[in-house]
Amino acid sequence: MTDQDEPPVAENDPAPTPFAAPGPGRVTAYRGVSLIDGTGAPVRHGMAVVTDGPVVEAVVPDADLGPSGPPGAETVDARGTFLLPGLVDAHQHLSTPPNRAQAEAMMRRQVYGGVTAIREMAGDLRQMADLARAALVGEIPGPDVRCAALMAGPGFFDDPRTHQVTQGAAPGAVPWMRAVDEGTDLRLAVAAARGTGAVAIKIYADLDASLVRRIAAEAHHQGMLVWAHAAVFPAMPGEVVAAGVDVVSHVHMLVHELSGDRPVSYRRQREHLADAYRRFLDAPEDALDPLFEDMRRRGTVLDATASLVARMPSSAPGAAELAPRVLRRLVGRARRAGVTICAGTDYETSPRDRFPALHDELRYLVRSMGMAPHEAVRAATTAGAAAIGLQDTVGTVEPGKRADFVIVDADPYEDIDHLRRIVTTVKRGRRHDRAEYDRSDHDAQAAGTGAGTRKGAPDGR
């Protein structure tokens, strides 16, 4: 090229990032809050939380800041409010099937609804990787996303959902949705899954105990988390826990540990569910305590998804009417044993609902499962952070932690529904004021352009 040649076509401009985190040096002081810091400490009134860019710089009595606050800081008068860690939905499926507009609408509602992180439990990770990136850098409003790639036995991959999330490729033969058997090169399969942006392997269906152990060991060897259904058939709950997985999902599946028979496949489980429920209810209340003790000892987190079973009862004949008693006993014994329980949904609420599904799960845990409100808050904060593997980064409001928190105008320890009274969500130091969401949502509905959200699948994915 010479000086007289035409200049090249301009490169693409960077995408706008209106929701980006503030940079270091941007200091904000949230003053006069009642603090629920997530560490287990009681509520502390008259506190101040100071953020520097995307991190918490200080948590101090408000009086220590003096009348003018830190030099150069923006001051947010939050007197009369309660500040607590950002909420974590530990079981979501934003890309099953992939629908970019719906996923963005759900993510927007989640972050304005107090949710600062989610655990994406497998889907089309081609789409999810970009949505996670877009939310991270601030192109769109949304929680941080921690994704899993799925591994299951070959027999599972005629499931229609596996075709939805692998369009253009072969179900079971892609790195984010992999069929595995005894001949699979697990080292290569796990490495390929990491390349999709996944931070975890989800162990799903039609796998025996030996293969579950091998998958978990290889995933951990490569620095990935391991998330699994509580039973993957023929592997049973005790075998899944003994394999060393980090999180098990769907508390109702734990009843299969007492089954007199072993479902041979994921699809055949429903034929056994009502009998498994009855056997559990007829057994001594402490019958599963050895399993819960093993979970406690290993640090296995339980993703209960309790409201999913109540909201969309199993189609297994005779099981639905038994489910509430089964769930309450299971959750109660897990709590008594000291198992860490996180709050996951596995569904989203109607587009007409102003809040994401996590709020319904928390209400259900309190009103139907017997949890105290402070336990439910822990399930959605510190326990959620543990489930996504970020307990050293989020889940509590402490100096050095990420500035992820939510401010509400009433005490959630008095009534869990006070979590719906959101003033603002702060994610990585960037405020998402609830009034902005309510105003824009009202305007969109008035114009007939409100975005929808999908309902979850009834079988627990």
Side-chain angles (χ1 to χ4, degrees), residues 19-302:
F19 301 96
R26 177 84 173 271
V27 179
T28 304
Y30 297 85
R31 304 200 59 177
V33 300
S34 294
L35 178 65
I36 298 171
D37 66 12
T39 66
V43 179
R44 289 182 282 168
H45 302 283
M47 298 295 291
V49 175
V50 181
T51 63
D52 184 345
V55 301
V56 175
E57 181 181 65
V59 177
V60 296
D62 188 72
D64 289 0
L65 295 184
S68 58
E74 177 186 4
T75 296
V76 176
D77 184 352
R79 286 173 294 181
T81 67
F82 290 76
L83 186 152
L84 66 153
L87 307 179
V88 179
D89 186 338
H91 200 127
Q92 268 290 340
H93 289 277
L94 295 181
S95 58
T96 309
N99 182 318
R100 180 75 184 224
Q102 287 188 353
E104 288 192 17
M106 283 189 281
M107 291 174 72
R108 177 175 175 270
R109 183 172 66 170
Q110 285 165 345
V111 76
Y112 281 101
V115 179
T116 55
I118 62 172
R119 194 171 65 122
E120 171 71 5
M121 292 295 286
D124 194 331
L125 295 197
R126 295 170 296 185
Q127 175 174 278
M128 277 318 307
D130 187 51
L131 284 169
R133 180 203 59 81
L136 176 64
V137 303
E139 291 177 7
I140 62 173
D144 285 332
V145 182
R146 301 275 279 176
C147 295
L150 182 143
M151 291 187 181
F156 171 67
F157 288 90
D158 60 356
D159 187 299
R161 294 168 299 175
T162 68
H163 294 257
Q164 292 172 347
V165 302
T166 58
Q167 296 173 63
V174 294
W176 63 92
M177 190 73 44
R178 173 81 69 174
V180 297
D181 58 23
E182 292 298 331
T184 301
D185 183 339
L186 291 179
R187 183 173 61 175
L188 180 59
V190 170
R194 290 181 64 197
T196 67
V199 302
I201 298 297
K202 178 178 179 178
I203 297 175
Y204 191 69
D206 298 348
L207 298 167
D208 63 25
S210 174
L211 198 45
V212 171
R213 286 195 302 271
R214 290 176 54 211
I215 294 169
E218 183 57 41
H220 284 151
H221 178 71
Q222 295 196 35
M224 299 189 79
L225 297 166
V226 182
W227 303 332
H229 270 199
V232 299
F233 310 108
M236 302 297 268
E239 295 168 330
V240 172
V241 170
V245 305
D246 299 294
V247 186
V248 295
S249 293
H250 307 309
V251 65
H252 73 281
M253 286 185 168
L254 295 176
V255 298
H256 290 284
E257 185 70 4
L258 298 180
S259 293
D261 48 11
R262 181 187 294 255
V264 297
S265 70
Y266 177 83
R267 286 189 182 82
R268 301 292 297 273
Q269 64 174 299
R270 291 189 177 188
E271 301 171 16
H272 302 257
L273 187 58
D275 286 343
Y277 278 0
R278 294 188 192 98
R279 189 175 291 109
F280 172 71
L281 291 172
D282 289 343
E285 288 204 5
D286 62 356
L288 284 182
D289 282 6
L291 175 61
F292 289 129
E293 173 57 27
D294 195 28
M295 293 174 66
R296 184 203 63 77
R297 181 178 60 82
R298 293 174 180 274
T300 312
V301 178
L302 175 60

Side-chain angles (χ1 to χ4, degrees), residues 91-94 96-97 156 159-161 164 202 204 229 250 252 266 270 305 307-315 345-349 454-461:
H91 200 127
Q92 268 290 340
H93 289 277
L94 295 181
T96 309
F156 171 67
D159 187 299
R161 294 168 299 175
Q164 292 172 347
K202 178 178 179 178
Y204 191 69
H229 270 199
H250 307 309
H252 73 281
Y266 177 83
R270 291 189 177 188
T305 65
S307 64
L308 175 77
V309 180
R311 191 181 186 90
M312 303 170 185
S314 170
S315 59
T345 57
D346 199 14
Y347 67 92
E348 261 306 338
T349 48
R454 69 149 178 84
K455 295 182 180 179
D459 57 349
R461 293 174 298 172

